[in-house]
Amino acid sequence: MTDIVSMQRLNKYFGDLHVLKDIDLTVKQGEVVVIIGASGSGKSTLIRCVNGLEEYESGELTVDGEKLAPKGGSQKALATIRKEVGMVFQQFNLFPHLTVQMNIMLAPMKVKEASKSAAAETAVRLLDRVGIGSQADKYPSQLSGGQQQRVAIARALAMEPRLMLFDEPTSALDPEMIGEVLDVMRKLAKEGMTMMVVTHEMGFAREVADRVIYIHEGQIVEEGKPEDVFDNPQNERTQSFLSRVLKH
C-alpha cells in the first residue's frame, strides 16, 4: 500500500522546548493510526505538522507524495496538501452566522471552485452520511456539541480528503455526546478512510486502530497492534500510562 504520510527524524521546537524528537512514522493508505499519550507529550503537534499548521525544524515530512519543507523553507506543497488532508479539532470552529449547510458548502466553493448547487448537494449528502441530514437549515448554536462536531467532520469530508486528522475530537463534548461522534469515525474507518487520530478514548483505539502509537515527551516509545500495546506493552512508560488511564 502507498505511504500517505512519511516522517523521518522529524524534530519540532517551541523556543527552547524540544517538542518532537526524531520522529520516524509512516501511515499507509487506508490505515487508521491512533496516537495516545499524556497531555503535553507532543501528540497534537505531530498531526498539526502533517497539514502544515505547525512547521518543523529538521527531518523530512512527505504527505500524499508532496514534500513539506522545514521551517523557513519554500512551502509550495502546502496548498496541495491542504486540499488532500481534512482536519477535525477539539473545538468545532463553525461559522455561527451561517447555516449548517452553508458551513459545509464554503470550502468546496472557495477552494475547489464547485458551483453553489453542486456544493449544496455535497453538503446534504454528507449531513446524511454523519446522521444529521435533518439539521441542514439550522445554525450551529441550535445544535448539541455532538451534532456540531459531526458538522465539522462533514465539512472536512466535503474536500474529498485522502487523509483525515482528528485532534481529540471528543474532548470538548459531554459524555453522552461522545458516542455519536465516535460512531461516525468508526464508519469512516470501515469505509477505508486513512486516519490519524489523537484521542484519550482507549476503547475506540482498541476497536478501530490498525496501529497504536504511544508518545512520551516527544518520542515514540511504543507502537503496534492495539492488542499488543494495550494487553502486553513492552515499554515501562507505556505500562505506567496505561495503568493510570485504564483504571478510569
Side-chain angles (χ1 to χ4, degrees):
M1 287 188 291
T2 306
D3 288 347
I4 296 293
V5 177
S6 176
M7 296 181 179
Q8 296 179 327
R9 298 186 66 81
L10 194 81
N11 286 275
K12 167 68 183 173
Y13 292 83
F14 289 125
D16 293 331
L17 183 62
H18 197 174
V19 183
L20 297 176
K21 304 170 183 176
D22 289 330
I23 297 289
D24 290 320
L25 177 63
T26 58
V27 179
K28 296 189 178 298
Q29 184 175 349
E31 189 176 21
V32 178
V33 174
V34 175
I35 304 163
I36 63 173
S39 296
S41 59
K43 310 183 299 298
S44 295
T45 301
L46 187 150
I47 65 167
R48 287 171 66 87
C49 285
V50 172
N51 69 347
L53 288 175
E54 297 288 354
E55 293 183 298
Y56 65 98
E57 271 71 25
S58 65
E60 292 187 0
L61 173 57
T62 303
V63 182
D64 199 20
E66 298 284 343
K67 198 166 186 177
L68 260 176
K71 193 171 185 177
S74 172
Q75 293 289 15
K76 291 181 180 179
L78 194 56
T80 301
I81 287 172
R82 286 188 174 162
K83 290 180 182 179
E84 303 294 335
V85 179
M87 188 158 183
V88 178
F89 301 87
Q90 297 176 36
Q91 302 299 327
F92 323 123
N93 298 323
L94 301 175
F95 292 107
H97 63 291
L98 297 178
T99 64
V100 164
Q101 185 171 348
M102 278 302 302
N103 265 279
I104 298 169
M105 291 169 59
L106 275 183
M109 290 169 61
K110 290 195 171 184
V111 179
K112 294 203 166 185
E113 299 182 350
S115 68
K116 188 172 183 178
S117 60
E121 288 177 10
T122 296
V124 169
R125 174 174 54 82
L126 290 174
L127 286 170
D128 283 336
R129 186 175 175 186
V130 299
I132 50 172
S134 62
Q135 309 299 322
D137 294 328
K138 291 187 177 179
Y139 289 87
S141 62
Q142 296 174 291
L143 305 184
S144 70
Q147 290 173 326
Q148 289 186 60
Q149 191 62 293
R150 284 188 278 169
V151 174
I153 293 172
R155 180 180 57 185
L157 291 172
M159 292 296 290
E160 300 179 332
R162 286 170 50 81
L163 168 66
M164 284 284 285
L165 308 176
F166 293 88
D167 185 6
E168 299 189 16
T170 60
S171 65
L173 300 178
D174 293 333
E176 65 269 20
M177 297 175 186
I178 290 173
E180 61 192 58
V181 173
L182 294 180
D183 284 344
V184 172
M185 295 169 66
R186 288 186 185 97
K187 183 179 178 183
L188 291 176
K190 288 179 181 177
E191 292 171 352
M193 175 63 73
T194 310
M195 298 163 62
M196 294 180 71
V197 184
V198 171
T199 186
H200 292 293
E201 300 293 334
M202 298 300 154
F204 172 84
R206 182 188 285 271
E207 176 188 353
V208 175
D210 295 302
R211 191 156 39 110
V212 174
I213 308 288
Y214 172 64
I215 293 185
H216 176 76
E217 294 182 354
Q219 294 179 299
I220 295 176
V221 299
E222 188 144 4
E223 65 178 295
K225 294 180 179 179
E227 58 267 29
D228 294 331
V229 172
F230 287 115
D231 298 334
N232 190 29
Q234 300 299 301
N235 189 285
E236 62 180 21
R237 294 190 180 101
T238 316
Q239 295 167 6
S240 175
F241 172 76
L242 290 174
S243 70
R244 294 194 307 272
V245 300
L246 294 179
K247 287 180 181 176
H248 301 287

